[in-house]
Amino acid sequence: MAWYLVRRLLQMIPVFFGAIFIVYFLMFATSGDPTAALCGDRGCTPATKAALEAQYNLDQPFLIQFLLYLKGVFTLDLGNNFSGRPILSVIAETFPNTVKLALIAIVFESVVGVTLGLIAGLKKGTWIDSSLLFLSLLVISIPVFVLGFVAQFVVGIKLGWASPTVGTGAPLQDLLLPGMVLGSISLAYVVRLTRNSVAETKTADHVRTATAKGLTPGRVRNGHVLRNSMIPVVTYVGADLGALMGGAIVTESIFNINGIGNQLYRSINIGDGAMVVSLVTLIVIVFVVANLLVDLLYAVLDPRIRYA
């Protein structure tokens, strides 16, 4: 088990550095003059441009720039963004809000999605199964920005069940509605994935053997069907955590959440490369950690990994 985790960690190292290098290359080596956005339409004077290039290490060769950025990542010194604020300060302000939003979405899609998928899988071929598949397909076909505006108008404004916008500090109760909107698309995939996995597992030999031994339907369902059906679902949900953080741009914009997605969108618009690369690096770290946690859950769900 320990060697399995070590091997997975070693596999993630090139993924981490490779993803950061690609993003850094696309942001700084192919996007023209990064200082142009700072000076507006008039452009920078030669002295101002030279000072900005020195401040952001743009006067160095590209590989030196990248190595200096990696040094800043490991020493927690990412410099300032285009507005003069320390990048770590911006991250410390926005990251917790996105984490809370993503966790609400993950819990919503996991609990509701697995429950509905389990019901559909156990009732495969019935009207319950058909209805749940139809509803999940309907949710998948609706763009998240449409769902967000509809939920904000109906639930937040018309019914008054939730705040239509998120207040200062992003209190948890204000994040419930946008969290469910953010997790709605993934919820539909979790339902269908769980349903197919359960429907396949319940006809497996070990499930028939457990039933023949006289185990109660509840023990067969929870100990043999559900547990063995969760590996593909856990894989999807683990990878979805990073995707939710990166995909929160639309949801955070609709509900006015001061989070990573909203900050990333604003930074891209003004060409703040240092801020963009730092935020994407944070999302890459979340991806890597989430995949490591998925590997740990594999060992819990599948005893063969523990004994390998």
Side-chain angles (χ1 to χ4, degrees):
M1 178 64 185
W3 171 244
Y4 173 77
L5 291 178
V6 170
R7 186 177 62 185
R8 294 296 294 160
L9 282 172
L10 292 176
Q11 291 173 350
M12 291 175 183
I13 291 174
V15 173
F16 173 74
F17 286 105
I20 295 177
F21 178 81
I22 291 173
V23 173
Y24 197 92
F25 176 80
L26 293 175
M27 200 67 212
F28 287 101
T30 63
S31 60
D33 185 4
T35 65
L38 288 172
C39 302
D41 296 333
R42 296 182 178 180
C44 298
T45 63
T48 303
K49 182 176 180 180
L52 290 173
E53 289 178 346
Q55 179 182 351
Y56 293 102
N57 299 316
L58 299 176
D59 56 344
Q60 302 289 335
F62 173 74
L63 288 179
I64 301 299
Q65 294 179 38
F66 180 67
L67 292 176
L68 289 172
Y69 171 73
L70 287 181
K71 177 184 176 183
V73 170
F74 289 110
T75 59
L76 298 180
D77 181 16
L78 298 176
N80 299 333
N81 62 6
F82 279 1
S83 63
R85 288 190 61 190
I87 291 177
L88 283 180
S89 175
V90 177
I91 291 176
E93 178 183 317
T94 57
F95 184 62
N97 298 336
T98 300
V99 169
K100 289 189 288 185
L101 180 67
L103 288 178
I104 290 173
I106 284 289
V107 171
F108 174 66
E109 73 178 58
S110 300
V111 174
V112 179
V114 169
T115 301
L116 295 180
L118 177 62
I119 294 173
L122 295 176
K123 301 292 184 180
K124 182 180 179 181
T126 66
W127 67 270
I128 297 177
D129 177 34
S130 300
S131 300
L132 290 175
L133 287 178
F134 171 76
L135 290 175
S136 65
L137 182 61
L138 181 64
V139 172
I140 292 173
S141 64
I142 301 176
V144 67
F145 63 87
V146 174
L147 192 61
F149 281 119
V150 170
Q152 185 183 48
F153 179 75
V154 175
V155 180
I157 298 176
K158 284 295 185 180
L159 299 177
W161 291 352
S163 174
T165 57
V166 176
T168 304
L172 193 61
Q173 63 271 17
D174 288 357
L175 291 173
L176 292 178
L177 180 60
M180 288 188 288
V181 170
L182 181 61
S184 60
I185 303 299
S186 298
L187 166 69
Y189 287 109
V190 171
V191 170
R192 300 175 76 87
L193 189 61
T194 306
R195 180 257 183 193
N196 293 336
S197 186
V198 167
E200 180 180 351
T201 304
K202 74 176 184 178
T203 60
D205 292 339
H206 69 276
V207 175
R208 289 198 294 265
T209 301
T211 304
K213 287 182 177 180
L215 296 181
T216 62
R219 289 190 62 185
V220 173
R221 181 184 65 244
N222 298 329
H224 295 271
V225 176
L226 184 59
R227 181 174 177 176
N228 288 279
S229 302
M230 285 299 99
I231 290 181
V233 179
V234 167
T235 303
Y236 175 81
V237 172
D240 196 41
L241 178 59
L244 288 174
M245 296 190 66
I249 295 176
V250 175
T251 306
E252 290 183 353
S253 300
I254 293 173
F255 292 93
N256 193 32
I257 301 172
N258 184 27
I260 292 293
N262 214 341
Q263 183 64 48
L264 184 61
Y265 176 73
R266 293 196 297 266
S267 300
I268 292 173
N269 279 339
I270 64 175
D272 191 345
M275 192 76 242
V276 171
V277 174
S278 299
L279 293 177
V280 174
T281 299
L282 183 62
I283 294 174
V284 170
I285 293 173
V286 172
F287 262 113
V288 171
V289 173
N291 277 275
L292 180 60
L293 292 177
V294 167
D295 289 337
L296 292 174
L297 286 175
Y298 283 167
V300 175
L301 295 172
D302 193 344
R304 293 173 297 180
I305 295 178
R306 290 202 300 268
Y307 300 142

